[in-house]
Amino acid sequence: MTTSDGPLTGLRVVDASTILAGPLACQILGDFGAEVIKIEHPTAGDGMRGHGPSLDGTPIWWSEISRNKRTVALSLSRPAGADVFRRLVATADVLVENFRPGTLERWGLSPDELRELNPGLVVARVTGFGQTGPYAARAGFGTLAEAMSGFAHLTGQADGPPTLPAFGLADSIAGIAASSAISMALYARATNGGVGQVIDLSLLEPIMTAVGPGPSVYGLTGEIGTRHGNRSTNNSPRNAYETSDGHWVAISTSAQAIAERVLVLVGHPEVVEEPWFASGHTRAQHADLLDGYVGGWIGARTRDEVVAAFTEAGAAVAPVYSARDLVEDEHVRATGMLTPVQDPALGEVLQHGVMWRMSGTPGRIRFPGRPIGADTDDVLDELGVAADEISALRDQEVIR
């Protein structure tokens, strides 16, 4: 089975990963045309099915994270299941997995063994800490990566504790990174005679990169970054400010011209002439003064008035949105950042749209996440597994 649109049309991806990073990578590949076959344990399923809110027992997030994926319920730890898996991977271009290092090897499904069957196979291994090193065998979750990356250390109020995000930040960054790494490996395969390779991606490294050059700064200067709340050491004013109607807006003045426009707008053009105002770093040293001017002006006006005035002045501002605000925002809806998807169990679901737009080979959402094992029989039949063997595998609880 192949899809008929998207730059990855004709590509077969086996998604043997769970929870978020690997499944998100495969969601992105599926959005852009790849045929994704989701492998789940016959009884336990993917933990994502129980992740987040549900409606009448139907998981809402599953509808999005597993969209454009066919689902096969197969026990890889059973020899008969591992044999079926080998037959499936022999037909695939990409395998994505996030088992603890050594698990696939224990089942006789190591990348080396799988690539003997299929030399062109790209295997993306997404784990907490990578396949090697002292921490490789540790359980790895996004929260741990958010803690160890420096993110939590830098996030929160100056006099408060380290702060963790309320969502899967490290997993999501790693999932997007994995889709990029897979694309690179596929390009390399296309240019080196069809030979695949193994990608070793940890949850920790992508978010470490996103946090910034803290290790470089420490190595060169011995300085360690600290928490500053919503402020920045690189520019000011930069904060979240409350409006008169109880909303919040955020502004940033990374560009000098923007900083000047903001202070003129809020009625303090004299500050622009101060020598310290000439750079973001020195402005940050006067954050109390600048926040007082900006916060006082914003606090006397409604959110709509603030946004309109900043927009007219060519100054950067954004309202702090809740999910409801996102749903109601005209730009978000007009550009397809959120798009309605029909789900047989949930009805119309407003999902995140395809993550980027391509003029020649756009992606699309073809169908939402499916019930566990919905495509087991069809996929096995396509592999040439006889009906009596499928029945025997189901009796043995190897498949569902």
Side-chain angles (χ1 to χ4, degrees):
M1 176 181 178
T2 59
T3 58
S4 58
D5 61 349
L8 302 181
T9 294
L11 197 76
R12 171 170 278 191
V13 177
V14 176
D15 178 5
S17 61
T18 57
I19 302 296
L20 183 51
L24 177 58
C26 294
Q27 177 204 314
I28 294 170
L29 300 177
D31 283 352
F32 285 95
E35 178 202 4
V36 181
I37 299 175
K38 173 73 180 176
I39 305 296
E40 299 179 78
H41 189 276
T43 55
D46 185 344
M48 279 300 297
R49 290 187 180 272
H51 222 64
S54 62
L55 180 65
D56 298 328
T58 300
I60 296 173
W61 200 352
W62 181 262
S63 182
E64 178 173 327
I65 198 70
S66 287
R67 68 193 187 197
N68 297 332
K69 300 180 185 180
R70 305 165 79 194
T71 173
V72 172
L74 177 67
S75 175
L76 304 188
S77 64
R78 304 275 295 278
D83 180 64
V84 172
F85 188 71
R86 291 186 193 95
R87 284 189 264 180
L88 175 60
V89 168
T91 70
D93 298 282
V94 178
L95 166 64
V96 180
E97 64 94 5
N98 70 334
F99 297 103
R100 283 203 198 185
T103 301
L104 284 184
E105 286 79 358
R106 189 169 66 250
W107 295 337
L109 299 172
S110 72
D112 287 345
E113 291 169 293
L114 296 177
R115 292 182 63 239
E116 285 184 10
L117 298 171
N118 181 355
L121 184 68
V122 171
V123 181
R125 314 193 79 177
V126 185
T127 56
F129 302 103
Q131 297 293 316
T132 61
Y135 301 160
R138 289 186 180 182
F141 297 99
T143 299
L144 310 186
E146 289 147 9
M148 292 180 64
S149 65
F151 174 88
H153 174 77
L154 294 175
T155 304
Q157 296 301 318
D159 57 352
T163 302
L164 295 165
F167 56 94
L169 178 62
D171 275 280
S172 297
I173 295 174
I176 298 169
S179 72
S180 176
I182 290 166
S183 298
M184 293 180 194
L186 290 170
Y187 177 81
R189 186 183 72 170
T191 59
N192 71 359
V195 178
Q197 60 185 291
V198 179
I199 299 166
D200 178 5
L201 177 69
S202 74
L203 298 183
L204 182 56
E205 289 170 282
I207 191 172
M208 280 177 59
T209 300
V211 169
S216 299
V217 173
Y218 172 72
L220 292 171
T221 70
E223 294 180 10
I224 299 174
T226 58
R227 292 184 287 283
H228 300 281
N230 290 321
R231 287 179 173 175
S232 168
T233 58
N234 299 316
N235 71 84
S236 182
R238 191 266 197 182
N239 213 326
Y241 306 89
E242 190 172 12
T243 62
S244 64
D245 53 350
H247 294 290
W248 292 82
V249 297
I251 71 168
S252 176
T253 56
S254 297
Q256 181 67 23
I258 298 296
E260 294 173 3
R261 291 172 194 167
V262 168
L263 268 297
V264 171
L265 173 64
V266 302
H268 289 278
E270 76 282 358
V271 178
V272 176
E273 304 304 321
E274 295 287 345
W276 53 261
F277 198 85
S279 77
H281 179 70
T282 51
R283 290 201 309 273
Q285 296 171 9
H286 296 78
D288 287 342
L289 175 68
L290 297 176
D291 274 348
Y293 289 156
V294 174
W297 188 91
I298 289 175
R301 292 162 176 79
T302 67
R303 181 176 70 178
D304 288 348
E305 290 171 339
V306 170
V307 171
F310 267 69
T311 301
E312 183 178 355
V317 68
V320 176
Y321 272 178
S322 67
R324 178 177 61 192
D325 296 319
L326 279 171
V327 168
E328 295 174 352
D329 184 87
E330 60 180 355
H331 182 79
V332 170
R333 295 298 290 268
T335 56
M337 293 182 189
L338 294 175
T339 186
V341 176
Q342 289 298 323
D343 185 292
L346 295 169
E348 184 175 280
V349 183
L350 199 59
Q351 296 187 3
H352 296 98
V354 174
M355 200 174 294
W356 51 81
R357 294 153 193 79
M358 299 181 70
S359 62
T361 54
R364 71 183 179 96
I365 302 167
R366 299 180 298 279
F367 54 88
R370 292 167 57 72
I372 186 169
D375 303 288
T376 300
D377 285 20
D378 287 344
V379 172
L380 267 58
D381 178 68
E382 292 166 12
L383 294 175
V385 181
D388 58 348
E389 185 179 355
I390 293 175
S391 179
L393 290 169
R394 184 163 283 116
D395 290 342
Q396 298 165 30
E397 299 183 342
V398 173
I399 63 172
R400 174 174 168 182

